[in-house]
Amino acid sequence: MSGKTIALTEWLNQNEASFKPPVCNKLMFGAGQLKVMFVGGPNIRNDYHLEEGEEISHNTGIPSMTVGDMCLNIIEKGKPKAVLIKEGQIFLLPGKIPHSPQRFANTTGLVIERERRSQEMDCLRYYCQHDHLNNILYERWFHCEDLGSQLAPIIKEYFASEQCKTGKPGKNSIICDPAFQPDEETAVMQPFSLKEWIDSNRDALNNQKELMLFTQTECQLRIATDTTIQCGSDDQEVWIWIYEGSHASLASEESTATLHENDVHLITAGQHCTLTIGVNTVALTVMLKPR
C-alpha cells in the first residue's frame, strides 16, 4: 500500500506536547508534494508570510482533543483584516495574500500547503505598526524548502535589527526586488463550518455521490459518499480523511486496507489507488495543483 494510514485522534493525542510552546506544530506528512501539519498555541506573532500557493486551514473538532478558535491576520486589498476561524470551520487562503496566524492556548488546527516549485519564492515581512501596516519595515525573500527551519534565522535577524529596535524602515529593510507583488484585488472567503456544509448538502451528496467544496482554485477538495474513486496522480499527492463512518477501504496493486472514521492516508505521487466509500460514510480527498 502506498503512503501511510494514520489514526488521527490517536496521532493528535500522542503528539499533544508538540502543539504547545516552544514548538507549537507537528508535521504529519511533508516528505513529498503536500505539507500536512497541525499547529497549536499560544503563538502570537507580528510577521506576515507570503507564498504563491494556497493554504487550507481547518480548526479541528476531533473528539478528545482540546481545540478552539484562531485569528488569521491578513492584508486584504491593501488593508489589514482579522479573519476569525472558529472551531470546526474551514478556510481557503488564496496565494499571494500576506497572512499572520494568531493561535491561542489549547487550540489545534490543520494546515495543508504544497511544495514550492523551483522558481517560487516566499517572503517573511514585517510592517510598520504605527501607520496601519501601510509601509514595509523589514522583509526577506527565500526559496522555501523547510519553512520551520528557514523562518527561525530570519526572525532572529529581524529582532537584532535597527528596524526592530526603532520601528522605522532603514537601508537594509528591503535588500532585493520582490519576487511578486501581493494580491490586492482578491476578497478572501468567509470561514464556514465543514460539518454544517456537509449536513446542508447531504441530499445532494447522497444523490450525486461526490461534491467539490471549492471551484476554480488550486485546492481540489472532494467530499464523497457511497461511491468508488480512483485516486492518484503522477506528480501530485492526495490526502484522504475519513470524516464520518467506518465503511471505507483503500486498495492498491499490492494490498487493501480498511479505513475507519478519522483515519487519514497520504497517496504519494506516482501511486494510484481505489478508494471505496460505503453508505453512511463520508470521505474527503485533497489535492493542491499549481496553476
Side-chain angles (χ1 to χ4, degrees), residues 194-247:
L194 180 59
K195 184 179 185 304
E196 289 178 4
W197 189 94
I198 292 173
D199 287 343
S200 64
N201 290 277
R202 186 80 63 177
D203 289 343
L205 180 61
N206 287 334
N207 288 331
Q208 299 178 37
K209 307 304 180 185
E210 298 179 26
L211 296 175
M212 299 300 294
L213 192 61
F214 305 117
T215 59
Q216 299 181 337
T217 57
E218 282 190 358
C219 174
Q220 298 184 6
L221 198 163
R222 173 171 48 189
I223 299 176
T225 187
D226 190 21
T227 190
T228 297
I229 299 172
Q230 300 302 317
C231 295
S233 166
D234 290 336
D235 51 4
Q236 267 92 43
E237 295 184 325
V238 183
W239 188 71
I240 298 169
W241 178 13
I242 305 304
Y243 186 77
E244 291 179 1
S246 294
H247 300 287

Side-chain angles (χ1 to χ4, degrees), residues 76-281:
E76 181 188 65
K77 297 185 175 181
K79 302 293 184 181
K81 179 178 180 177
V83 179
L84 180 64
I85 307 174
K86 296 182 178 181
E87 181 177 321
Q89 288 188 330
I90 193 168
F91 176 75
L92 181 64
L93 177 72
K96 301 183 179 180
I97 299 287
H99 55 283
S100 180
Q102 314 295 310
R103 280 216 160 266
F104 314 119
N106 301 318
T107 66
T108 308
L110 166 70
V111 176
I112 304 178
E113 58 185 47
R114 62 165 173 80
E115 182 180 46
R116 310 307 193 258
R117 292 175 289 186
S118 60
Q119 76 277 14
E120 290 182 329
M121 299 288 284
D122 285 33
C123 180
L124 192 69
R125 175 177 290 178
Y126 293 84
Y127 290 93
C128 297
Q129 298 294 316
H130 63 274
D131 66 351
H132 304 289
L133 310 186
N134 286 322
N135 291 301
I136 298 171
L137 177 63
Y138 189 93
E139 72 174 23
R140 292 294 183 266
W141 291 85
F142 59 99
H143 177 66
C144 181
E145 296 178 343
D146 181 353
L147 189 62
S149 64
Q150 288 177 277
L151 288 186
I154 299 174
I155 293 171
K156 183 178 180 180
E157 179 184 309
Y158 166 72
F159 280 116
S161 70
E162 286 299 314
Q163 290 86 348
C164 179
K165 296 173 184 176
T166 64
K168 298 179 180 179
K171 63 179 182 179
N172 293 321
S173 290
I174 301 173
I175 60 175
C176 68
D177 292 334
F180 60 84
Q181 294 296 330
D183 181 345
E184 295 189 348
E185 298 181 357
T186 300
V188 303
M189 61 173 282
Q190 289 296 316
F192 59 92
S193 167
L194 180 59
K195 184 179 185 304
E196 289 178 4
W197 189 94
I198 292 173
D199 287 343
S200 64
N201 290 277
R202 186 80 63 177
D203 289 343
L205 180 61
N206 287 334
N207 288 331
Q208 299 178 37
K209 307 304 180 185
E210 298 179 26
L211 296 175
M212 299 300 294
L213 192 61
F214 305 117
T215 59
Q216 299 181 337
T217 57
E218 282 190 358
C219 174
Q220 298 184 6
L221 198 163
R222 173 171 48 189
I223 299 176
T225 187
D226 190 21
T227 190
T228 297
I229 299 172
Q230 300 302 317
C231 295
S233 166
D234 290 336
D235 51 4
Q236 267 92 43
E237 295 184 325
V238 183
W239 188 71
I240 298 169
W241 178 13
I242 305 304
Y243 186 77
E244 291 179 1
S246 294
H247 300 287
S249 64
L250 190 65
S252 68
E253 292 182 354
E254 299 86 23
S255 61
T256 299
T258 300
L259 301 180
H260 304 282
E261 186 168 286
N262 282 327
D263 278 352
V264 298
H265 186 96
L266 185 77
I267 299 176
T268 56
Q271 300 291 328
H272 297 270
C273 297
T274 301
L275 175 63
T276 301
I277 309 159
V279 295
N280 301 319
T281 299

